[in-house]
Amino acid sequence: MKVLVTGGAGFVGSHACKALALSGHEPVVYDNLSRGHRDAARFGPLEIGDTADKTRVREVLERHRPDAVMHFAAFAAVGESVENPLLYYRNNVTGSAGLLEAVTEFGPLPFVFSSTCATYGVPDQVPIGEDHPQRPINPYGFSKLFVERMLADLGASHRLPWVALRYFNAAGSDPDGEIGERHDPETHLIPLVLEAARGGAPIQIFGTDYDTPDGTCIRDYVHVMDIADAHLRALDYLIAGGASGAFNLANERGHSVKEVIAAAERVCGRTVPVKIGARRAGDPPALVGTAARARAVLGWTPTRSGLDVQIADAWTWLRSRNR
Ligand code: UDP
């Protein structure tokens, strides 16, 4: 299959492209390179453009005539979304609307959407299942929820077949070291912890007064290769006529910020300098998911589920870049 991959030059998108290429598919990357990296778009043709630019999307669809779409293009930093909400609504929501307009006119094509556990907000209980109410507490979460809503509406109005994959915290990197996580500026925990381990700035812990066993936030970390694999499974599922819907991608185990730091010290064999900071606005105390639906319906089985292997892969990537 030929698959249009928006955001294919970004972190999760580039790993999905690699997985597609390894499975004999052709990813066509559509990316404006505002945060993605040209050299990460190496598994198929690259088309530069904005998702909001419906005419350009339409042109690319006509040129490549893909069989399906995977939509990753989005900003994904919770703190930034709180500080600059309109950036998120413009890029993530308006961008998705432009893309979806072009896709429904052209297709409608099977559509796999990169969603997030941030759509749940502060959970009533963990682990969180897909039927948990979605009440985001930050603009990033809302921006993704709005797109899920668009998909549900377009499913009804235009028979758009869709899957929303709500991932918990994407972590790790391609074990081959070919591609990896590279945000600029970096805001995510694991890469910042590893930078600190290499002698960079100390990692600042955002809050030690949460109602969790060690006072720091708990997240469920999922390896980016496992996430990429789930996208392929979702695609096959839709092509086989599976019903549209949402699936969590989670390892069903939570790790606190302090546990992540301890794991990094173990994996890297180095001390990680730490600074205690205030809570970051928009952070729920604990997010842990259940992925029973993805396991049962998509046959998804994460293979790199431990924190140590995720950190080890991220560490290999980081060191290969800055030798
Ligand atoms: N975090 C932190 N210091 C940092 C970056 C993140 O303490 O410099 C915490 C953050 O508050 C959250 C967890 O690490 O509880 C994961 O944050 P990240 O930004 O990686 O992902 P998010 O959960 O926001 O999607």
Side-chain angles (χ1 to χ4, degrees), residues 197-220:
R198 277 173 65 91
I203 182 70
Q204 186 170 173
I205 300 180
F206 293 147
T208 52
D209 58 348
Y210 284 97
D211 187 16
T212 59
D214 67 17
T216 65
C217 283
I218 291 175
R219 296 288 182 273
D220 183 336

Side-chain angles (χ1 to χ4, degrees), residues 12-62:
V12 185
S14 61
H15 286 77
C17 287
K18 178 161 182 168
L20 281 165
L22 286 175
S23 300
H25 302 300
E26 185 185 357
V28 176
V29 172
Y30 186 76
D31 201 301
N32 64 9
L33 298 182
S34 69
R35 298 202 177 175
H37 304 275
R38 188 182 285 272
D39 63 342
R42 58 170 72 183
F43 305 103
L46 167 65
E47 294 282 0
I48 296 174
D50 276 322
T51 46
D53 185 349
K54 180 187 143 183
T55 311
R56 174 79 180 119
V57 177
R58 186 67 206 233
E59 195 181 288
V60 169
L61 289 169
E62 298 287 359

Side-chain angles (χ1 to χ4, degrees), residues 76-79 116-118 138 140 167-170 181 186-193 202-207 210 216-219 221 255-258 260-261 275 278-280 282-285 287:
V78 168
T116 169
C117 64
N138 54 59
Y140 167 63
Y167 6 122
F168 286 64
N169 287 53
E181 185 164 13
E186 187 53 76
T187 63
H188 293 101
L189 180 65
I190 292 177
L192 287 176
V193 167
I203 182 70
Q204 186 170 173
I205 300 180
F206 293 147
Y210 284 97
T216 65
C217 283
I218 291 175
R219 296 288 182 273
Y221 294 88
H255 297 282
S256 72
V257 174
K258 284 186 176 169
V260 169
I261 294 168
K275 224 169 89 182
R279 289 185 180 199
R280 182 176 68 179
D283 271 345
L287 292 171

Side-chain angles (χ1 to χ4, degrees), residues 109-127:
L109 298 172
F111 195 97
V112 181
F113 173 54
S114 160
S115 190
T116 169
C117 64
T119 59
Y120 293 117
V122 179
D124 297 332
Q125 77 284 319
V126 291

Side-chain angles (χ1 to χ4, degrees), residues 116-135 166 168 218-220 247-253 284-293:
T116 169
C117 64
T119 59
Y120 293 117
V122 179
D124 297 332
Q125 77 284 319
V126 291
I128 306 166
E130 291 85 351
D131 297 329
H132 187 285
Q134 290 175 288
R135 299 175 301 231
R166 294 180 191 149
F168 286 64
I218 291 175
R219 296 288 182 273
D220 183 336
F247 297 86
N248 283 346
L249 301 181
N251 274 311
E252 309 182 337
R253 272 204 61 193
L287 292 171
V288 180
T290 165
R293 188 179 287 175

Side-chain angles (χ1 to χ4, degrees), residues 3 10 12 16 18 39 64 78 119 137 142 154 209 265 288 313 319 323:
V3 182
V12 185
K18 178 161 182 168
D39 63 342
H64 294 278
V78 168
T119 59
I137 61 163
F142 272 109
L154 287 170
D209 58 348
E265 290 188 323
V288 180
D313 287 344
R319 290 204 300 178
R323 256 201 289 268

